[in-house]
C-alpha cells in the first residue's frame, strides 16, 4: 500500500510543478504584452497661443486641455494611435502617432 502511494506521488508531483510553471509563464506573457504608454502634449492655435478646453481623443480615451493647453493621456495599450483634436471654432485635426516615439506633442489647430 505504501509502495503504491509513493509511486503515485512520484508520478504526479512533477506534473504539479509543470502546471504551476505554465500558469506563471502565461501570467508573465500577459504582463509583457500589456504596455502602458503615456502621451503628453499641448494644443495651440495658429499664433502659438494655448487653447484651453480642446478635446483630445486617443484610442477612445478622451481628455480636455487645461488652461495652458496641456493634456496627458495614460495607459495607452497600442503603439499606433489615432489622435483626434477638436475645439469650437477650429477645424478638427486627426492624425496617427506612434505612442512609443511620441512623448510630447504640439498640436496646432
Amino acid at each position: 500500500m505504501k509502495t503504491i502511494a509513493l509511486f503515485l506521488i512520484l508520478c504526479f508531483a512533477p506534473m504539479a510543478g509543470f502546471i504551476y510553471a505554465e500558469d506563471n509563464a502565461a501570467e508573465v506573457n500577459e504582463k509583457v504584452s500589456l504596455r502602458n504608454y503615456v502621451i503628453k502634449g499641448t494644443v495651440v492655435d495658429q499664433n502659438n497661443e494655448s487653447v484651453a478646453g480642446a478635446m483630445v481623443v486617443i484610442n477612445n480615451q478622451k481628455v480636455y486641455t487645461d488652461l495652458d493647453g496641456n493634456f496627458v493621456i495614460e495607459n495607452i495599450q497600442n503603439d499606433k494611435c489615432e489622435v483626434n483634436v477638436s475645439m469650437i471654432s477650429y477645424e478638427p485635426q486627426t492624425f496617427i502617432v506612434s505612442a512609443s516615439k511620441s512623448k510630447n506633442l504640439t498640436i496646432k489647430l
Side-chain angles (χ1 to χ4, degrees), residues 7-22:
F7 175 74
L8 291 174
I9 290 172
L10 291 174
C11 286
F12 291 110
M15 290 179 69
F18 176 73
I19 292 169
Y20 177 75
E22 188 175 278

Side-chain angles (χ1 to χ4, degrees), residues 37 39 57-59 61 73 76-84 94-100 102 105:
Y37 297 112
I39 295 181
V57 181
I58 299 177
N59 293 352
Q61 294 186 52
I73 296 184
I76 297 172
Q77 303 298 317
N78 301 324
D79 185 37
K80 297 288 182 193
C81 300
E82 181 176 283
V83 179
N84 295 295
T94 300
F95 50 94
I96 304 293
V97 298
S98 172
S100 62
S102 302
L105 301 175

Side-chain angles (χ1 to χ4, degrees), residues 11-44:
C11 286
F12 291 110
M15 290 179 69
F18 176 73
I19 292 169
Y20 177 75
E22 188 175 278
D23 287 344
N24 281 346
E27 200 173 295
V28 168
N29 286 339
E30 182 178 325
K31 287 180 183 177
V32 169
S33 67
L34 293 178
R35 291 186 169 76
N36 290 313
Y37 297 112
V38 176
I39 295 181
K40 299 177 183 182
T42 305
V43 178
V44 297

Side-chain angles (χ1 to χ4, degrees), residues 62-78:
K62 177 173 43 172
V63 297
Y64 292 92
T65 58
D66 64 13
L67 293 175
D68 296 321
N70 299 315
F71 68 90
V72 176
I73 296 184
E74 299 175 328
N75 298 323
I76 297 172
Q77 303 298 317
N78 301 324

